[in-house]
């Protein structure tokens, strides 16, 4: 989808956004349980690699956009400390997800020329 209005009206996208935020919430709630964090993010990574065939770079892009949106929506609460914490979260997500991609033998498919 490229049209912002189409994205806003999409029930499928809204449902997926809830799942994404639910997974991030689970990670945040379990930051002291590294096994749970690894497990959740491994499931996400494997599903997106094997079932959805999503390039892993999109996780880096998505988490970057999330940081931008949070900063825009909550400028008074998005302190340098909060920014640092979310940056660490972004790195944690990307690191675990890409590890899951590697574990399942993800191979980059060349695009048609």
């Amino acid at each position: 989808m490229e049209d912002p209005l189409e994205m806003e009206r999409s029930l499928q996208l809204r449902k997926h956004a809830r799942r994404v935020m639910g997974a991030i919430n689970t990670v945040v709630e379990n930051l002291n349980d590294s096994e749970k964090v690894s497990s959740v993010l491994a499931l996400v990574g494997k599903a997106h690699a094997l079932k959805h065939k999503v390039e892993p770079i999109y996780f880096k892009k998505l988490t970057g956009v999330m940081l931008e949106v949070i900063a825009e929506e909550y400028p008074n609460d998005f302190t340098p400390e909060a920014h640092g914490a979310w940056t660490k979260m972004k790195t944690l997500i990307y690191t675990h997800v890409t590890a899951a991609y590697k574990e399942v033998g993800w191979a980059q498919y060349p695009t048609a020329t």
Side-chain angles (χ1 to χ4, degrees), residues 49-94:
L50 299 173
K51 182 178 179 185
H52 306 297
K53 309 287 190 229
V54 174
E55 294 286 336
I57 190 66
Y58 288 111
F59 284 91
K60 186 176 259 185
K61 291 179 181 185
L62 173 65
T63 54
V65 169
M66 287 175 59
L67 251 107
E68 290 175 23
V69 170
I70 292 168
E72 288 174 12
E73 291 295 315
Y74 304 99
N76 296 332
D77 298 318
F78 205 67
T79 63
E81 293 81 14
H83 184 270
W86 277 102
T87 299
K88 286 180 183 179
M89 175 64 73
K90 175 183 168 181
T91 302
L92 176 83
I93 291 169
Y94 187 70

Side-chain angles (χ1 to χ4, degrees), residues 41-53:
L41 294 175
L43 287 172
V44 169
K46 288 175 184 177
H48 284 78
L50 299 173
K51 182 178 179 185
H52 306 297
K53 309 287 190 229

Side-chain angles (χ1 to χ4, degrees), residues 2-38:
E2 293 184 25
D3 178 20
L5 190 56
E6 180 184 5
M7 286 189 255
E8 188 176 324
R9 292 180 178 164
S10 172
L11 293 176
Q12 183 180 4
L13 182 58
R14 188 171 296 137
K15 182 180 175 183
H16 187 257
R18 282 189 196 110
R19 290 185 68 174
V20 169
M21 294 311 295
I24 290 172
N25 189 60
T26 299
V27 169
V28 170
E29 288 178 342
N30 291 282
L31 284 174
N32 293 326
D33 184 347
S34 61
E35 288 183 31
K36 178 74 172 181
V37 169
S38 294

